[in-house]
Amino acid sequence: PLGWASAALLVTVGGAIIWYWNDKYTEKKKKNQTSKELPSIGKPLLGGPFTLVNTTTCLPVTDEYFKGRFMLIYFGFTHCPDVCPDELNKIVRVHNVLEKERPGLLQPVFITIDPQRDSISLIKSYLNDFSPNFVGLTGTPQQIESVCKYYRVYFSAGPRDVDGDYLVDHTIISYLVDPDGDFKEFYTKSSNDDEMIRRIKEQIQKFDQKKKL
């Protein structure tokens, strides 16, 4: 038979177990609530150093060359039938508006993801059809792969046709880098001119305020 001592022990142990799990539940609930209340800290780890070739000067250039200006970077290829031209034209329109207000502050940059076909002369000619303000960059396949990794740019060449031609599937994003060389934000295909202009102006204002401190 269960004696008083055994019963008391059972009650004590049972109560301790209930208290333990209740305490754990309360602690977990508090942690979850705190994590929801805390603001997001930090920014995406995008961007990094690179060494490529400037298709205007035909000389090697690093990311340091662009410091002192905002960069608006687009990764694409000259054989792109429609998406790249649409995005480059959008960048030109955005640049033209901002250039009137702050001349020389925003530098549009095109980095090829197809260095095998995109020669220096081809990129230069291609970009001149959009705007002479573009800086085109190319490099070895290894250099292009490296800078794409820094910006998390996906690209993959498709199957070749009978003429050996092919398309390249790739990320359709424009990246804004500030004059200190730090990535600030990106703009997708769905971002229109007005949105990009507004957001870039906000980043310029934030940068100006930071430099005044």
Side-chain angles (χ1 to χ4, degrees):
L2 182 65
W4 285 106
S6 298
L9 178 62
L10 182 61
V11 170
T12 301
V13 172
I17 292 174
I18 292 173
W19 174 86
Y20 173 80
W21 286 112
N22 184 64
D23 185 63
K24 284 292 184 182
Y25 173 78
T26 303
E27 182 181 355
K28 183 178 181 180
K29 188 176 181 180
K30 286 181 178 179
K31 286 183 178 180
N32 289 338
Q33 184 65 30
T34 302
S35 65
K36 292 178 181 178
E37 293 174 353
L38 287 175
S40 176
I41 299 174
K43 61 181 180 180
L45 297 177
L46 293 178
F50 60 78
T51 299
L52 297 169
V53 175
N54 185 328
T55 60
T56 301
T57 63
C58 301
L59 296 174
V61 65
T62 71
D63 53 293
E64 293 289 328
Y65 170 79
F66 296 96
K67 288 190 175 179
R69 294 168 286 175
F70 277 88
M71 277 196 297
L72 188 56
I73 306 173
Y74 182 78
F75 293 81
F77 65 112
T78 64
H79 290 74
C80 184
D82 45 30
V83 174
C84 291
D86 289 345
E87 292 301 295
L88 293 178
N89 277 320
K90 181 168 63 175
I91 289 174
V92 170
R93 293 192 299 269
V94 169
H95 173 263
N96 287 344
V97 171
L98 296 172
E99 182 71 6
K100 293 177 182 178
E101 299 182 11
R102 299 286 293 272
L105 184 60
L106 181 66
Q107 176 63 63
V109 176
F110 173 87
I111 300 179
T112 180
I113 54 171
D114 189 17
Q116 290 87 348
R117 290 185 299 177
D118 287 349
S119 65
I120 290 176
S121 60
L122 180 56
I123 294 173
K124 184 176 181 180
S125 174
Y126 177 74
L127 293 177
N128 280 337
D129 288 339
F130 295 96
S131 170
N133 294 308
F134 262 109
V135 169
L137 299 178
T138 186
T140 66
Q142 293 75 21
Q143 288 173 322
I144 295 300
E145 184 178 350
S146 175
V147 68
C148 284
K149 282 185 177 179
Y150 277 127
Y151 284 90
R152 301 182 188 177
V153 174
Y154 162 81
F155 66 98
S156 177
R160 296 176 183 270
D161 60 20
V162 293
D163 297 321
D165 198 12
Y166 57 90
L167 295 177
V168 182
D169 186 24
H170 64 96
T171 302
I172 307 172
I173 285 179
S174 299
Y175 302 81
L176 185 69
V177 178
D178 76 11
D180 288 336
D182 296 325
F183 164 78
K184 302 313 295 182
E185 61 183 16
F186 62 83
Y187 314 100
T188 65
K189 183 181 177 183
S190 63
S191 301
N192 60 36
D193 297 21
D194 292 338
E195 178 191 350
M196 288 180 64
I197 292 169
R198 174 182 57 78
R199 290 171 60 186
I200 292 174
K201 282 184 176 181
E202 289 173 355
Q203 290 297 332
I204 292 174
Q205 185 178 24
K206 289 179 182 179
F207 184 81
D208 289 343
Q209 291 174 345
K210 183 179 72 172
K211 289 303 177 183
K212 290 179 181 179
L213 298 177

